[in-house]
Amino acid sequence: QVQLVESGGGPVQAGGSLRLSCAASEDSDCLRAMAWYRQAPGKERELVAGSTSGGIAQYADSVKGRFTMSRDNAKGTLYLQMNKLKPEDTAVYYCKATEITQKFDCLRFAHLPRSWGQGTQVTVFS
């Protein structure tokens, strides 16, 4: 089954930077829109950054100006560049395919909007 795999997390000092990556286990052009979420201990999962099918990125107010989502369409890899990290950014970060291209060849990706990967832990210490 096709999966999304996040990587790039780790411990970082406040003020530092990390770049997260999200790659599908199969290359394709089926991932029409994607997003990054995070879940901090004891809190609900929240949307950090998302793109529309037109490629416009939107960000949570808490990360605007510090985080940038981008995509390498040739590789099908999603990135989240996180700068000026704060301790409150500590969380498990997940990527998610929020919209799948509607065509036969993309049926094997159809489950992705309903599933979560393992995520990658980001820990920001002061």
Side-chain angles (χ1 to χ4, degrees):
Q1 193 175 43
V2 178
Q3 296 179 329
L4 296 176
V5 180
E6 303 93 341
S7 62
V12 62
Q13 192 167 22
S17 299
L18 281 176
R19 189 175 82 153
L20 306 184
S21 300
C22 169
S25 53
E26 292 184 32
D27 292 340
S28 83
D29 61 353
C30 295
L31 306 180
R32 189 173 176 86
M34 300 187 73
W36 284 99
Y37 287 78
R38 68 184 180 188
Q39 187 166 21
K43 295 188 177 181
E44 293 189 355
R45 198 167 300 183
E46 63 174 353
L47 178 66
V48 175
S51 68
T52 65
S53 56
I56 299 173
Q58 296 178 317
Y59 300 90
D61 288 342
S62 58
V63 306
K64 278 181 184 176
R66 300 187 299 121
F67 289 13
T68 303
M69 184 173 71
S70 62
R71 191 165 177 185
D72 183 331
N73 288 319
K75 296 181 179 180
T77 302
L78 183 71
Y79 300 100
L80 185 68
Q81 178 67 43
M82 306 187 296
N83 299 327
K84 300 179 182 179
L85 282 160
K86 305 175 181 179
E88 52 263 43
D89 295 318
T90 295
V92 179
Y93 285 72
Y94 303 87
C95 69
K96 190 172 185 69
T98 54
E99 185 177 346
I100 305 299
T101 301
Q102 298 295 307
K103 63 180 183 180
F104 179 81
D105 288 349
C106 296
L107 285 177
R108 65 190 187 281
F109 294 84
H111 64 283
L112 288 177
R114 302 186 301 275
S115 63
W116 295 96
Q118 295 186 65
T120 185
Q121 175 71 48
V122 172
T123 302
V124 185
F125 58 92
S126 55

